[in-house]
Amino acid sequence: MKLYFHITGFGKFCGVNENPTEILIERLPTYLQENSIPENIQVLSYSILDVAGIDAVFFFGSTISKFHNQIFEPNTRTIWLHFGVWTSLPGFNIETTGWNEADFSCPDEREWQPIEQKIVTNSAQSLKTDLPVTEIHASLSQKYNVALSTDPGRFLCNFIYLTSLHFSSINKTSSLFIHVPSFEKAPIDTQLSFARDLISEIAASLV
């Protein structure tokens, strides 16, 4: 089965002027060219998003429109893979759940600061990824410091994840969010290797 990936990271936000995921997404295309991934995988887009709710919503609308044919192509699967930073983490977190609540501790990059506000009206309190994260985690944990998590916070990481899971439920695609640590905890080479192995493990889990 052909797998199409859309991979995102974030730019700067309150207190974090250099977001590791921005550098990760900038370098990942070259890294994947030099370190092969399974032939049935095609990364259709790499995006660095501003840390702003409206930009996340616009990203999905525009990307779904642009890649409509691939999303609904028979015998394929589209996967939205999102990376965000959580600087206090000792390693990587595979987020299993998005929560339908925006409760920003500081304004986003467009000065929006919702407090205990629903992200998607008339949707469930939480949505879970349909990817086999337990299996993926078991494989990756042999090489990396990685944990399963049910709490992505309530800032933009959770906002884009819940939005992604919502669109996936409508369009029959799949979504996953990964929190990465700072480069002090996991240098860029480790994060690039993790991203490549994660993509390969997702593919292997869907065979």
Side-chain angles (χ1 to χ4, degrees):
M1 178 172 60
K2 185 77 173 179
L3 299 178
Y4 294 123
F5 278 78
H6 297 278
I7 304 177
T8 73
F10 282 118
K12 67 180 180 67
F13 63 99
C14 49
V16 179
N17 292 323
E18 185 178 70
N19 194 320
T21 66
E22 180 174 1
I23 299 171
L24 175 64
I25 300 306
E26 286 175 346
R27 299 191 185 181
L28 191 56
T30 300
Y31 186 86
L32 294 182
Q33 288 178 356
E34 296 173 349
N35 299 269
S36 62
I37 53 178
E39 293 182 355
N40 64 321
I41 294 173
Q42 183 178 356
V43 181
L44 294 180
S45 70
Y46 298 90
S47 303
I48 299 168
L49 307 179
D50 286 338
V51 179
I54 189 64
D55 291 72
V57 174
F58 177 79
F59 162 76
F60 286 108
S62 61
T63 307
I64 289 170
S65 177
K66 180 177 180 180
F67 294 99
H68 179 275
N69 290 342
Q70 287 87 348
I71 288 172
F72 295 103
E73 182 181 328
N75 301 315
T76 68
R77 190 162 179 177
T78 292
I79 297 160
W80 308 90
L81 180 57
H82 309 289
F83 290 92
V85 65
W86 194 330
T87 55
S88 63
L89 288 177
F92 301 93
N93 269 10
I94 299 172
E95 302 294 348
T96 66
T97 308
W99 295 89
N100 195 7
E101 181 184 34
D103 191 21
F104 292 5
S105 58
C106 63
D108 70 11
E109 291 299 295
R110 301 198 184 279
E111 300 301 320
W112 183 49
Q113 188 176 8
I115 304 297
E116 296 182 353
Q117 182 175 318
K118 268 201 164 189
I119 298 170
V120 178
T121 306
N122 299 323
S123 184
Q125 180 183 6
S126 65
L127 297 173
K128 291 183 178 294
T129 181
D130 63 353
L131 293 172
V133 287
T134 301
E135 178 182 338
I136 293 168
H137 169 259
S139 181
L140 291 173
S141 63
Q142 298 177 36
K143 184 177 178 181
Y144 303 98
N145 182 359
V146 56
L148 289 173
S149 167
T150 61
D151 185 8
R154 299 296 185 272
F155 193 48
L156 248 297
C157 291
N158 176 70
F159 187 97
I160 194 172
Y161 196 21
L162 189 284
T163 304
S164 184
L165 290 165
H166 172 68
F167 278 116
S168 282
S169 69
I170 295 171
N171 297 304
K172 297 182 179 180
T173 58
S174 296
S175 302
L176 189 63
F177 192 97
I178 305 296
H179 264 125
V180 306
S182 66
F183 285 149
E184 286 73 24
K185 303 287 180 58
I188 182 60
D189 289 347
T190 300
Q191 298 207 18
L192 287 165
S193 174
F194 176 86
R196 178 204 171 276
D197 290 349
L198 171 66
I199 292 167
S200 297
E201 288 299 331
I202 291 173
S205 73
L206 297 176
V207 173

